[in-house]
Amino acid sequence: MLSLRGVESFYGSSQALFGVDLDVASGTVTTLLGRNGMGKTTTVRAILGLTPPRRGKIALDGQRLDGLPPYRIARAGIGLVPEGRQIFPTLTVRENLIATARGGGWTEARVLALFPRLAERAGQRAGTLSGGEQQMLAIGRALMTNPRLLILDEATEGLAPLIREEIWRCVEVLKADGQAILLIDKNLDALLRLADRHHIIEKGRIVWAGGSAELAADTALRQRYLGI
């Protein structure tokens, strides 16, 4: 579904991505792993046109995305749950959900059924929610765009263990529903359980790609690139 080939991105004159190749197949959960500052979020920004690649190709279902403005990339079918959540704090939960809604299978009622905590707080201002509830809202807001591909950047960062499990339950539900997901997170145990394929990025380069069984079995690889 998503294909990156030879993607190179820069911040001014400083190169951040060096020939990144990455694939997300339809209906699968794929991860992008690496230590802080290695290029994970920059890769997401390149996909979304926020840090446009100077070289390389990005395509969604064969449609070229590189060179398009971010709003057209979003309309092509990519939904983002950004690092830091970035919900609209002065809007209510319901207003956050409908602000970006597009027609499709994901409706307000379906999102609130997925996250009962949000249903209890539908009229509450989003800025007053807990961090975990804000993350649920960010996921729900992205789902309301009815994306073909959902990107979760640092899906459970800073969340309490019980809330993290709630987020992983949500990912399991989405995967069972056939939603394609590109997932960035540091909770390797959960990722090995949920994901179909993994990519490791180091200093702006993809240095390894493979399945969960391979990654789980290679202790030296995890220690070298993930510090685990």
Side-chain angles (χ1 to χ4, degrees), residues 201-214:
I201 190 167
E202 173 84 2
K203 296 180 180 178
R205 294 176 170 87
I206 299 295
V207 294
W208 183 89
S212 288
E214 299 168 77

Side-chain angles (χ1 to χ4, degrees), residues 49-116:
L50 298 171
T51 305
R54 292 190 189 174
R55 287 181 285 274
K57 175 183 176 181
I58 302 175
L60 183 69
D61 284 334
Q63 176 188 353
R64 290 286 293 267
L65 300 182
D66 50 285
L68 296 180
Y71 76 91
R72 288 190 58 190
I73 293 172
R75 287 179 181 174
I78 296 183
L80 173 67
V81 181
E83 183 178 9
R85 299 179 281 274
Q86 298 183 34
I87 48 87
F88 304 120
T90 62
L91 300 184
T92 66
V93 167
R94 176 169 288 114
E95 289 167 343
N96 267 269
L97 293 177
I98 65 176
T100 60
R102 298 176 65 190
W106 283 101
T107 62
E108 179 188 342
R110 189 178 174 193
V111 168
L112 295 181
L114 180 65
F115 294 118

Side-chain angles (χ1 to χ4, degrees), residues 5-19:
R5 290 293 178 269
V7 170
E8 299 184 2
S9 286
F10 293 73
Y11 291 103
S13 60
S14 299
Q15 188 167 357
L17 299 181
F18 300 82

Side-chain angles (χ1 to χ4, degrees), residues 156 164-172 185 187 190 194:
T156 65
R164 285 203 299 268
E165 288 306 312
E166 183 74 4
I167 300 301
W168 296 134
R169 180 194 65 80
C170 166
V171 173
E172 289 176 345
D185 201 81
N187 191 329
L194 290 168

Side-chain angles (χ1 to χ4, degrees), residues 192-227:
L192 289 173
R193 183 180 80 247
L194 290 168
D196 302 284
R197 189 166 176 81
H198 309 272
H199 298 75
I200 296 177
I201 190 167
E202 173 84 2
K203 296 180 180 178
R205 294 176 170 87
I206 299 295
V207 294
W208 183 89
S212 288
E214 299 168 77
L215 184 56
D218 198 332
T219 303
L221 178 77
R222 299 199 307 275
Q223 290 177 340
R224 179 178 180 183
Y225 293 117
L226 304 177

Side-chain angles (χ1 to χ4, degrees), residues 103-135:
W106 283 101
T107 62
E108 179 188 342
R110 189 178 174 193
V111 168
L112 295 181
L114 180 65
F115 294 118
R117 288 170 181 255
L118 297 183
E120 297 169 2
R121 295 159 175 76
Q124 187 173 325
R125 287 194 177 186
T128 66
L129 301 177
S130 69
E133 291 163 349
Q134 288 185 13
Q135 184 70 346

